[in-house]
Amino acid sequence: VYFYIVANDDGTMPAATPAQIENEFRQIVDDYASDNLCFANMGFRYINSTNINFNINCDNPASYNALNPWLVPNCITIFFQRALGANGGGSYGGNAYSIPNTFCSVATGNINSGRTTSHEVGHCLGLLHTFEPANGFENINGDNCSTTADRVCDTPSDPWARGACFSSAGCSYTGNCIDGNGASNFSPPFTNIMSYWWGNGCATTNFTGGQFTRANNFISTNAGLIGTLAPVDLLHGPATYNNTYGMIAASNSLATNGTVLCINNCVVGMAGRKVT
C-alpha cells in the first residue's frame, strides 16, 4: 500500500498526519493478519490540491479521475482527504470508487473511526457491504446467500438497507423487517468490518472466513490486484526509474542486482524482511 496526505494548494489543512498514517497501516495489518494477508507500507507523499482535498465527487468519474495521475503502480493507493462528496449532496467517510479496485479514499473525520481504512481496503479486495442491496436481500436462513447481499454465506443477513422496516437503538436491531421466507428473527453482523454498524456504536473488528475466501479469489484473478502481489524472494535490477514510481517488495528477501538508479523526481520504494 502507498499513502497520500492531501492538503490545500498552499499546503495548509493536510488531511492526516504521518503518525495517523502509521496507525492506520498497523490497523490494516492487524485486521487482515488472521488470514495471513500481509501488507507492506511503501511510503507516503503529500499532494497540494484544494480540489482533491475538498471537491472530489465520489459518484462522478469525471471528478474522481483527478486521482488517476497519482496512482502508484503495483500498490493499493490510499488517499486521505478532508472531504468526500456525493451526488446526493451528502458526504462519504470513505470510498473505493469501484469493487474491486487498486485505490480508495478516506476522509479526515473517519481516520481511526470504524475501521474505515480497513473497510475501504476490503472493497478494493472485492468485498461488498454485508447488506449490499444491489444484489437483492439475503434471507435469514441463508438459502440465497451466494447470490444476494455480499454473496458471502457466513455473514448473517443484515437488515440495514431494507427501508422503512429497519430501525435500531445503539448497537441493536429493533426493526420489524420480514425476509423473503416470512422470517423476521434477524441477527445482524454487528462486529463485521464490512457492515455499517460501527456508526451505531458497535465495535467492528472482524472479517469472516468467507470474506477472506472472496478477497483471495479477487487477489488471484483480478489483473490490478495481481500486480500488487509480492514474491517471496526477489532479485531486482539493474533498473532505471526516470520521473516515475518504482515499488519493489518481497515478503522475505529482496536483493538488488547491479545498479538501481532513481533520477528526475522518481519515487522508489523497496520492502522486505531483509533488503540487500
Side-chain angles (χ1 to χ4, degrees):
V1 290
Y2 193 88
F3 297 95
Y4 283 110
I5 298 174
V6 184
N8 288 348
D9 294 340
D10 60 1
T12 61
M13 299 194 72
T17 66
Q20 286 175 318
I21 281 185
E22 181 59 26
N23 288 337
E24 293 296 278
F25 172 71
R26 295 313 313 174
Q27 190 66 68
I28 295 170
V29 169
D30 291 346
D31 287 340
Y32 288 88
S34 63
D35 190 56
N36 208 27
L37 254 175
C38 305
F39 294 84
N41 182 351
M42 301 303 293
F44 79 92
R45 296 179 75 188
Y46 288 90
I47 299 173
N48 288 353
S49 169
T50 303
N51 178 53
I52 295 177
N53 207 19
F54 282 97
N55 299 327
I56 294 298
N57 183 336
C58 299
D59 298 322
N60 184 352
S63 177
Y64 64 72
N65 282 346
L67 303 176
N68 289 347
W70 300 97
L71 302 184
V72 179
N74 303 321
C75 291
I76 292 176
T77 308
I78 303 174
F79 297 86
F80 289 96
Q81 294 146 257
R82 280 283 174 178
L84 298 168
N87 275 344
S91 61
Y92 288 109
N95 204 287
Y97 304 101
S98 182
I99 303 174
N101 204 2
T102 58
F103 67 98
C104 61
S105 293
V106 176
T108 297
N110 280 62
I111 295 173
N112 193 32
S113 177
R115 299 292 221 282
T116 299
T117 304
S118 293
H119 178 107
E120 298 307 331
V121 169
H123 284 319
C124 287
L125 300 182
L127 299 184
L128 303 171
H129 292 136
T130 53
F131 55 84
E132 182 53 61
N135 296 328
F137 295 132
E138 180 182 353
N139 293 329
I140 293 171
N141 69 0
D143 60 4
N144 60 351
C145 62
S146 64
T147 58
T148 58
D150 62 356
R151 297 177 175 173
V152 174
C153 287
D154 64 354
T155 57
S157 179
D158 191 344
W160 186 273
R162 284 181 178 255
C165 65
F166 176 85
S167 63
S168 61
C171 187
S172 63
Y173 166 65
T174 60
N176 57 1
C177 298
I178 298 173
D179 74 3
N181 294 324
S184 59
N185 57 324
F186 286 93
S187 181
F190 294 117
T191 63
N192 196 278
I193 291 172
M194 299 310 297
S195 77
Y196 270 14
W197 284 97
W198 67 269
N200 279 44
C202 300
T204 50
T205 58
N206 67 282
F207 296 104
T208 67
Q211 286 174 316
F212 281 131
T213 296
R214 180 178 172 89
N216 278 289
N217 285 340
F218 277 103
I219 291 168
S220 62
T221 59
N222 178 268
L225 293 175
I226 288 172
T228 70
L229 295 177
V232 176
D233 298 300
L234 180 64
L235 181 64
H236 181 71
T240 298
Y241 295 94
N242 187 347
N243 201 34
T244 188
Y245 291 92
M247 295 297 153
I248 309 103
S251 59
N252 182 41
S253 176
L254 187 156
T256 59
N257 178 37
T259 299
V260 177
L261 185 63
C262 174
I263 58 177
N264 293 332
N265 298 314
C266 74
V267 178
V268 173
M270 296 186 181
R273 291 181 178 173
K274 181 174 73 172
V275 178
T276 305

